[in-house]
Amino acid sequence: MSHLSGKRVLLGVTGGIAAYKSAILIRYLREAGADVHVVMTASARAFIGTLTLQALSGHPVHEDLMDPAQEAAMGHIQLARWADLVLVAPATANFMARLAHGLADDLLSALCLATTAPIALAPAMNREMWRNPVTQQNKALLESRGMLFWGPGEGAQACGESGPGRLLEAEQLARRVQDWFAPGDLRGVGVLLTAGPTREPLDPVRFLGNRSSGKMGYALATALAEAGAEVCLVSGPVSLDCPAGISRVMVETAMEMYDAVMERVVDCALFVAAAAVADYRPASVSAQKLKKKEHEVEISLVPNPDILAEVAALPHPPFTVGFAAETERLEEYAETKRRAKGIDMIAANLVDAPEGGFERDENALTLLWEGGHERFPLAPKSLLAPQLAARIAEHFHAKVTAEDS
Ligand code: CTP
């Protein structure tokens, strides 16, 4: 593991039997190059020694909000600003509840309130505590504020029961941190990505369009570029700037998008279709502005090519990822679409759901592939995109490796 060099991780440890895993986690994070500061709650100290975490992190452990010596060394606001990422592992049900209600009566909860860095929670608790509606409601509330949930995993628990509530293993958590900062490694991989809506003209001033803002596609293009990919973005009309380090081709219609993609697809190993492409276009485009009529008018539409399906059907197709915008039976329709189009992965979202979709800054997605799926809860698109990019990179590499062997 590498790529965490210079990254600053604030690790919060709350009181659970799984706190011993945080010691191993610190080791992995430091081996990967991260700088780690540890904040322990009072009850965490009942489960693991301060000295252990101090020795492993290489810094004094922060414990007390009101300790003048600690505040003088690095005050809690300074610590909150210092972090690139706050990870609470293990996060108990009690800590989740306190966070959900904005309590700030100890150092860790105060830090979580004061930081502008992303916060990831790795829950660990008895399965019934996890399933309890109160905990689930707290989770939903925290997710709606953009907090990330890593785990819990399922399996044998310290209490002798088995079910959801296990802290993810230290290695899995370290991988999540790495994915967060550097979503997969796509250095030198050519990526072609479509984003935004298309406009299908009726006459010089009117068009058929849709509500896509392009935000999800642009965020994903940015995350893929940050993972080292050489990204070419074929974009429909949007009001977004071209992200740094990405080459962009602006198009208007589905046919223009199709031509732009087909011209460049040979140079890419990964094709992501995030655009909301019009399925139809007017059969004829009037050269002059259409005049108002006294009677009903009909517009005849002809189908546009399905860009994604055509790319997937090429003799040597790139790894293909599509999006499915659905209003009902999300995973079922998306999986049917994935198979029908013959693509590797599909990211499905409910477009009329209150929590996300078109024109929104947040989204919740389910990523589906052959034999598996992963749900990404509601998060700002800018936070969702690196997670999506990481999973895409992982499956892309797995397929390339399988084909090479
Ligand atoms: N897509 C495409 N070219 C089209 C239509 C869609 O490349 N002409 C891509 C989109 O970019 C998206 C995926 O196909 O990645 C799914 O598009 P969607 O509109 O949800 O599905 P459709 O296949 O058009 O089916 P329907 O509208 O019936 O849901």
Side-chain angles (χ1 to χ4, degrees), residues 172-313:
Q172 288 173 300
L173 287 172
R175 165 77 51 199
R176 296 289 180 111
V177 174
Q178 192 184 3
D179 284 352
W180 169 259
F181 285 114
D185 190 351
L186 290 171
R187 255 172 293 183
V189 175
V191 173
L192 188 61
L193 190 144
T194 65
T198 63
R199 286 181 181 172
E200 309 301 321
L202 283 160
D203 69 15
V205 296
R206 301 183 183 92
F207 59 83
L208 300 179
N210 62 66
R211 295 182 186 279
S212 167
S213 63
K215 284 178 186 164
M216 191 66 238
Y218 273 57
L220 191 52
T222 306
L224 292 164
E226 281 170 1
E230 284 158 22
V231 182
C232 174
L233 175 59
V234 178
S235 172
V238 293
S239 55
L240 301 169
D241 292 333
C242 181
I246 288 175
S247 72
R248 180 168 73 165
V249 183
M250 294 301 292
V251 296
E252 192 131 330
T253 66
M255 288 308 295
E256 287 170 12
M257 189 173 273
Y258 174 80
D259 291 339
V261 166
M262 289 306 168
E263 212 175 285
R264 294 166 177 83
V265 73
V266 282
D267 298 326
C268 81
L270 176 53
F271 176 66
V272 182
V277 187
D279 290 325
Y280 300 95
R281 65 182 184 277
S284 62
V285 183
S286 171
Q288 303 304 328
K289 188 181 169 206
L290 293 165
K291 286 295 175 194
K292 198 175 356 183
K293 304 272 175 20
E294 291 301 317
H295 53 85
E296 208 172 274
V297 287
E298 281 185 9
I299 300 168
S300 172
L301 301 173
V302 293
N304 279 325
D306 188 321
I307 305 170
L308 177 56
E310 290 211 20
V311 168

Side-chain angles (χ1 to χ4, degrees), residues 362-382:
E362 297 184 322
N363 209 356
L365 286 170
T366 301
L367 193 58
L368 300 109
W369 57 91
E370 187 67 46
H373 72 274
E374 182 171 347
R375 294 198 181 98
F376 295 88
L378 188 69
K381 289 176 178 174
S382 58

Side-chain angles (χ1 to χ4, degrees), residues 22 58 61 64 71 81 90 105 116 126 143 145 148 154 191 195 204 210 221-222 247-248 289 324 356 368 379 391 397:
S22 45
V61 169
D64 200 345
E71 279 293 296
R81 288 204 191 115
D105 55 354
T116 53
N126 162 270
E143 278 178 344
R145 295 181 193 145
L148 304 164
E154 292 214 20
V191 173
N210 62 66
T222 306
S247 72
R248 180 168 73 165
K289 188 181 169 206
L368 300 109
R391 288 296 159 270
H397 286 305

